[in-house]
Amino acid sequence: MMLKALLRNRFAGFLPAAFLPTVLFAMAVLVLAACTPSPDASVDVQSGRDVLAAMHAEHASDWYRTMTFVQTTIQHRPDGTADTTLWYEAMDLPGRLRIDIGSPDSGNSWIFRNDSIYVFAGGSVVNAGPTLHPLLLLGFDVYHQDLEETASRMDTLGFDLDVVHTAEWQGRPAWVVGAAEGDLERNQFWIDQERRVFVRLIQKQGPLTQEILFNKYEPLAGGWVAPEVLFHVDSTLTLEEYYAEMRADVTLPDGFFDPATAMTAPHWFSSDGVSER
């Protein structure tokens, strides 16, 4: 029951509903990073596509391609108790993300690849199918894929790219795509204007509202990373994610993201707890 609740809290907006009763574990959200800000006051933003274009233009030439990290995940239960686990994550952009739950060799993993997800339990695929992950799209893929491809996928996910306004978030100027000023009911994403990175998502889940925050940016390999990610459902904190051992532009093993070879490919994290490079 705990893991099913975690899946509902974490992925209800962008995983097929059929996955929820069959999957026995959950994955982490990937960390969000950005390179050193270089704001351009001349950017004319009239739509969400303009915002995505500004993000792409700012970082397309220097955004890193790979990243690994270890995540501490804290799930808050309705009874007030909490459960803590470690997740081992790696990405290869655009469009590839792998999460190993509990330990690198647990065989309990999620692989996002080419707009599909492959769910492993005990080393075997237990479910697979198409999915779009808005955090992967906005946090990373936007810098490494065609602008119209990103825009089309966000539109498919229910974000109105024709609506945009400016606001302030955590003391910094932001673009808000998908909702008018003062409207926190519609699906929307918030982008830091100076760093050109994603900082906030609000998404309706039936009668519920999910909010995801990327906080406490710090430098990483010439860019930035947000080592704290918080999930709220109807203003209640349901999930906390904290990142450690964050490394960019690492070499990942061959076949690591291929569902056919992922479970037999070498892992980037060694058995003695030292990250291999």
Side-chain angles (χ1 to χ4, degrees), residues 11 17 19 46 52 86 89 111 119 126 135 140 172 224 236 241:
F11 294 108
F19 284 176
Q46 301 295 327
L52 296 174
L86 288 181
E89 308 202 23
I111 295 176
V119 180
V126 297
L135 305 181
F140 298 97
R172 299 177 60 85
W224 297 85
T236 298
E241 301 177 347

Side-chain angles (χ1 to χ4, degrees), residues 202-221:
I202 296 176
Q203 191 172 24
K204 296 296 290 185
Q205 315 291 351
L208 305 178
T209 299
Q210 182 181 52
E211 179 185 36
I212 304 170
L213 309 178
F214 289 81
N215 296 332
K216 300 182 180 179
Y217 275 93
E218 61 184 54
L220 175 70

Side-chain angles (χ1 to χ4, degrees), residues 219-249:
L220 175 70
W224 297 85
V225 62
E228 176 185 273
V229 181
L230 304 179
F231 292 78
H232 297 83
V233 175
D234 285 349
S235 301
T236 298
L237 181 65
T238 58
L239 198 66
E240 301 175 67
E241 301 177 347
Y242 300 98
Y243 307 94
E245 298 194 44
M246 298 164 287
R247 294 177 173 87
D249 291 323

Side-chain angles (χ1 to χ4, degrees), residues 145-162:
Q145 68 186 14
D146 180 75
L147 168 63
E148 288 306 315
E149 189 172 0
T150 304
S152 175
R153 291 171 181 176
M154 293 308 299
D155 181 72
T156 298
L157 285 167
F159 293 85
D160 187 349
L161 299 184
D162 293 329

Side-chain angles (χ1 to χ4, degrees), residues 23-41:
V23 178
L24 300 179
F25 51 88
M27 67 167 282
V29 66
L30 54 152
V31 66
L32 195 58
C35 294
T36 303
S38 179
D40 182 357

Side-chain angles (χ1 to χ4, degrees), residues 159-186:
F159 293 85
D160 187 349
L161 299 184
D162 293 329
V163 180
V164 64
H165 72 273
T166 59
E168 185 176 284
W169 181 247
Q170 296 181 346
R172 299 177 60 85
W175 291 304
V176 183
V177 178
E181 186 175 357
D183 181 359
L184 295 178
E185 297 299 318
R186 301 182 67 190

